[in-house]
Amino acid sequence: MAREAVWAVITEMYDAYRRGDRAGIDRLLHPEATIWDSAEPVLITSREQLEKVRDARPADGPGETGVRAYDEVVDVWQDAALARYLLRVDFAEGEPEIVRTTAVLRLVEGEWLIVHVHENTL
């Protein structure tokens, strides 16, 4: 049951991303979450820094037509979880991008929150 709940947080994050729903994503992130974004060379260590990275992205975007997380491996230990998965990013033109991703989550007041994400484009 816990594995399914953790995976639901991951897939919900990408559903929010597809909708352009920053608040929906942020609701799933721990306030002190850190992120190695596949397109950003610096570790994101604050919400303020995350907003700057988001705002710096081109308004018209890279022509993404979809994102899908798959091939998940999820482990849960009491109030900590580790999710490893592939993320397929499709574009209007060109080949899809595959991003190897690891997410660490913590159970905080009954909710799984993402505390760290590490993305690595293959």
Side-chain angles (χ1 to χ4, degrees):
M1 180 78 163
R3 286 184 180 140
E4 291 83 5
V6 167
W7 187 242
V9 170
I10 299 299
T11 57
E12 187 177 337
M13 176 178 62
Y14 293 112
D15 289 345
Y17 177 81
R18 279 191 297 273
R19 294 189 310 270
D21 180 5
R22 286 186 185 184
I25 295 168
D26 292 349
R27 184 179 58 75
L28 303 170
L29 298 175
H30 187 279
E32 297 174 7
T34 57
I35 301 169
W36 283 113
D37 186 285
S38 62
E40 183 65 28
V42 177
L43 179 65
I44 298 168
T45 59
S46 69
R47 289 289 171 97
E48 179 182 23
Q49 191 178 4
L50 177 58
E51 286 303 317
K52 287 180 183 177
V53 168
R54 288 170 166 166
D55 291 342
R57 292 180 179 147
D60 58 359
E64 292 177 1
T65 59
V67 294
R68 181 177 65 88
Y70 64 99
D71 282 354
E72 70 275 8
V73 176
V74 177
D75 290 302
V76 177
W77 306 275
Q78 298 173 10
D79 65 348
L82 183 63
R84 289 86 77 197
Y85 54 95
L86 295 175
L87 180 69
R88 179 185 169 116
V89 183
D90 292 306
F91 300 95
E93 296 181 18
E95 294 297 314
E97 183 175 82
I98 304 298
V99 182
R100 182 174 38 207
T101 308
T102 302
V104 180
L105 296 86
R106 284 184 44 207
L107 188 60
V108 178
E109 297 178 9
E111 286 190 69
W112 287 104
L113 296 176
I114 299 166
V115 296
H116 179 72
V117 176
H118 187 128
E119 299 177 336
N120 180 41
T121 303
L122 297 179

